[in-house]
Amino acid sequence: MPMLMVRRARHEDLDDLTALLCLLFSLEADFDWDEKKQHQGLNLMLNNSRGCVLVAENENRIVGMCTGQVVISTAEGGPAVLVEDVVVAEEAQGQGVGRALLEAMAAWAREQGATRMQLLADANNTPALQFYQQVGWRRTELICLRQAV
Protein backbone atom coordinates (compact mmCIF):
# COMPACT_ATOMS: atom_id res chain seq x y z
CA MET A 1 0.00 0.00 0.00
CA PRO A 2 1.64 3.23 -1.12
CA MET A 3 0.67 5.43 1.85
CA LEU A 4 0.67 2.81 4.61
CA MET A 5 1.74 4.05 8.03
CA VAL A 6 1.83 2.05 11.25
CA ARG A 7 1.45 4.07 14.44
CA ARG A 8 0.32 3.79 18.04
CA ALA A 9 -3.45 3.98 18.37
CA ARG A 10 -5.13 6.95 19.99
CA HIS A 11 -8.39 7.22 21.91
CA GLU A 12 -10.03 8.91 18.93
CA ASP A 13 -9.41 5.66 16.98
CA LEU A 14 -11.66 3.60 19.27
CA ASP A 15 -14.67 3.42 16.95
CA ASP A 16 -12.55 2.25 14.00
CA LEU A 17 -10.74 -0.29 16.18
CA THR A 18 -13.99 -1.62 17.57
CA ALA A 19 -15.29 -2.10 14.02
CA LEU A 20 -12.16 -4.08 13.14
CA LEU A 21 -12.72 -6.30 16.18
CA CYS A 22 -16.24 -6.98 14.90
CA LEU A 23 -14.67 -8.35 11.71
CA LEU A 24 -12.14 -10.41 13.68
CA PHE A 25 -14.66 -11.88 16.07
CA SER A 26 -16.90 -12.89 13.17
CA LEU A 27 -14.09 -15.28 12.18
CA GLU A 28 -13.37 -16.70 15.64
CA ALA A 29 -15.58 -19.38 17.12
CA ASP A 30 -14.47 -18.77 20.72
CA PHE A 31 -15.55 -15.14 21.01
CA ASP A 32 -18.86 -13.35 20.78
CA TRP A 33 -19.12 -9.80 19.50
CA ASP A 34 -20.16 -7.31 22.19
CA GLU A 35 -19.46 -3.74 21.12
CA LYS A 36 -19.51 -2.37 24.67
CA LYS A 37 -17.04 -5.00 25.94
CA GLN A 38 -14.70 -4.63 22.98
CA HIS A 39 -14.75 -0.83 23.31
CA GLN A 40 -14.02 -1.17 27.03
CA GLY A 41 -11.19 -3.64 26.42
CA LEU A 42 -9.58 -1.41 23.81
CA ASN A 43 -9.82 1.57 26.15
CA LEU A 44 -8.08 -0.45 28.86
CA MET A 45 -5.37 -1.46 26.38
CA LEU A 46 -4.79 2.15 25.36
CA ASN A 47 -4.23 3.01 29.04
CA ASN A 48 -2.05 -0.04 29.77
CA SER A 49 1.57 0.95 30.32
CA ARG A 50 2.64 -2.64 29.53
CA GLY A 51 0.55 -2.84 26.37
CA CYS A 52 0.60 -1.54 22.85
CA VAL A 53 -2.17 -0.97 20.33
CA LEU A 54 -0.94 -0.41 16.79
CA VAL A 55 -2.95 0.71 13.79
CA ALA A 56 -2.16 0.58 10.11
CA GLU A 57 -3.39 3.66 8.35
CA ASN A 58 -3.68 4.27 4.63
CA GLU A 59 -4.69 7.70 3.36
CA ASN A 60 -6.02 8.67 6.82
CA ARG A 61 -8.14 5.50 7.08
CA ILE A 62 -7.43 2.76 9.59
CA VAL A 63 -7.14 -0.53 7.68
CA GLY A 64 -5.64 -2.80 10.34
CA MET A 65 -4.74 -3.22 13.96
CA CYS A 66 -2.72 -5.35 16.33
CA THR A 67 -2.41 -5.40 20.13
CA GLY A 68 0.36 -6.68 22.36
CA GLN A 69 0.96 -7.00 26.08
CA VAL A 70 4.10 -7.74 28.02
CA VAL A 71 3.92 -10.90 30.11
CA ILE A 72 6.65 -12.57 32.14
CA SER A 73 7.77 -15.89 30.71
CA THR A 74 9.44 -18.34 33.05
CA ALA A 75 10.57 -20.27 29.97
CA GLU A 76 12.38 -17.16 28.67
CA GLY A 77 13.41 -15.96 32.12
CA GLY A 78 12.06 -12.53 31.28
CA PRO A 79 9.50 -10.60 29.28
CA ALA A 80 7.60 -11.92 26.28
CA VAL A 81 4.81 -10.24 24.34
CA LEU A 82 1.38 -11.74 23.88
CA VAL A 83 0.05 -10.57 20.50
CA GLU A 84 -3.70 -10.39 19.97
CA ASP A 85 -6.27 -8.78 17.73
CA VAL A 86 -4.34 -8.96 14.48
CA VAL A 87 -6.93 -7.93 11.92
CA VAL A 88 -6.83 -6.27 8.51
CA ALA A 89 -9.85 -4.83 6.72
CA GLU A 90 -10.96 -7.13 3.91
CA GLU A 91 -10.17 -4.63 1.15
CA ALA A 92 -6.60 -4.20 2.46
CA GLN A 93 -5.72 -7.88 2.87
CA GLY A 94 -2.84 -9.23 0.82
CA GLN A 95 -1.16 -5.83 0.60
CA GLY A 96 1.45 -6.09 3.36
CA VAL A 97 -0.63 -4.54 6.15
CA GLY A 98 -0.47 -7.53 8.50
CA ARG A 99 3.26 -7.93 7.91
CA ALA A 100 3.85 -4.24 8.67
CA LEU A 101 1.82 -4.45 11.87
CA LEU A 102 3.69 -7.53 13.12
CA GLU A 103 7.07 -6.02 12.24
CA ALA A 104 6.17 -2.89 14.22
CA MET A 105 4.97 -5.04 17.12
CA ALA A 106 8.26 -6.96 17.06
CA ALA A 107 10.15 -3.66 17.26
CA TRP A 108 8.02 -2.62 20.24
CA ALA A 109 8.56 -6.03 21.87
CA ARG A 110 12.34 -5.63 21.53
CA GLU A 111 12.08 -2.18 23.14
CA GLN A 112 10.34 -3.87 26.08
CA GLY A 113 13.20 -6.35 26.43
CA ALA A 114 11.11 -9.26 25.17
CA THR A 115 12.83 -12.18 23.51
CA ARG A 116 9.68 -13.86 22.18
CA MET A 117 6.25 -12.98 20.84
CA GLN A 118 3.39 -15.43 20.99
CA LEU A 119 -0.15 -15.37 19.68
CA LEU A 120 -3.29 -17.42 19.53
CA ALA A 121 -5.09 -17.98 16.25
CA ASP A 122 -8.36 -19.69 15.45
CA ALA A 123 -7.54 -23.26 14.38
CA ASN A 124 -10.08 -23.03 11.54
CA ASN A 125 -8.84 -19.73 10.10
CA THR A 126 -6.66 -21.26 7.41
CA PRO A 127 -5.81 -17.97 5.64
CA ALA A 128 -4.56 -16.47 8.91
CA LEU A 129 -2.51 -19.56 9.76
CA GLN A 130 -0.93 -19.53 6.29
CA PHE A 131 -0.15 -15.83 6.66
CA TYR A 132 1.55 -16.32 10.04
CA GLN A 133 3.65 -19.14 8.63
CA GLN A 134 4.66 -16.97 5.64
CA VAL A 135 5.88 -14.18 7.93
CA GLY A 136 7.98 -16.50 10.10
CA TRP A 137 5.73 -17.65 12.91
CA ARG A 138 5.76 -21.35 13.74
CA ARG A 139 3.29 -23.68 15.42
CA THR A 140 4.07 -25.04 18.85
CA GLU A 141 2.85 -28.12 20.65
CA LEU A 142 0.90 -25.96 23.11
CA ILE A 143 -2.86 -25.67 23.05
CA CYS A 144 -4.98 -22.95 24.57
CA LEU A 145 -7.33 -23.70 27.44
CA ARG A 146 -9.59 -21.22 29.18
CA GLN A 147 -11.93 -21.03 32.14
CA ALA A 148 -14.25 -18.28 33.29
CA VAL A 149 -13.62 -16.94 36.79
Side-chain angles (χ1 to χ4, degrees):
M1 299 190 94
M3 302 299 293
L4 185 68
M5 176 180 68
V6 175
R7 63 169 174 80
R8 293 288 292 259
R10 302 182 289 256
H11 285 277
E12 56 264 28
D13 299 326
L14 275 171
D15 289 341
D16 290 330
L17 299 176
T18 303
L20 283 170
L21 286 183
C22 181
L23 170 63
L24 179 64
F25 288 2
S26 74
L27 302 171
E28 295 184 346
D30 290 316
F31 300 105
D32 294 320
W33 168 246
D34 182 326
E35 184 174 5
K36 184 177 178 183
K37 283 183 180 180
Q38 276 68 77
H39 197 272
Q40 177 182 340
L42 285 165
N43 195 44
L44 288 168
M45 281 295 299
L46 288 171
N47 293 317
N48 178 2
S49 64
R50 301 286 282 166
C52 179
V53 181
L54 297 175
V55 298
E57 194 175 58
N58 185 36
E59 297 179 359
N60 296 319
R61 184 171 172 275
I62 293 175
V63 295
M65 68 174 285
C66 176
T67 66
Q69 299 179 65
V70 176
V71 297
I72 302 302
S73 167
T74 56
E76 298 294 326
V81 168
L82 174 61
V83 177
E84 293 188 301
D85 305 323
V86 180
V87 58
V88 175
E90 290 176 346
E91 70 276 5
Q93 292 177 7
Q95 300 177 39
V97 176
R99 178 184 297 270
L101 284 164
L102 289 173
E103 287 174 356
M105 186 59 70
W108 180 80
R110 286 188 295 274
E111 290 171 9
Q112 307 311 303
T115 56
R116 179 186 79 219
M117 293 193 307
Q118 59 198 38
L119 65 77
L120 300 173
D122 190 292
N124 297 310
N125 190 344
T126 303
L129 296 173
Q130 290 172 340
F131 162 73
Y132 291 128
Q133 186 176 20
Q134 288 172 352
V135 297
W137 290 74
R138 64 175 181 83
R139 285 182 177 253
T140 71
E141 296 300 315
L142 299 173
I143 62 167
C144 178
L145 305 172
R146 74 180 200 178
Q147 179 183 42
V149 294

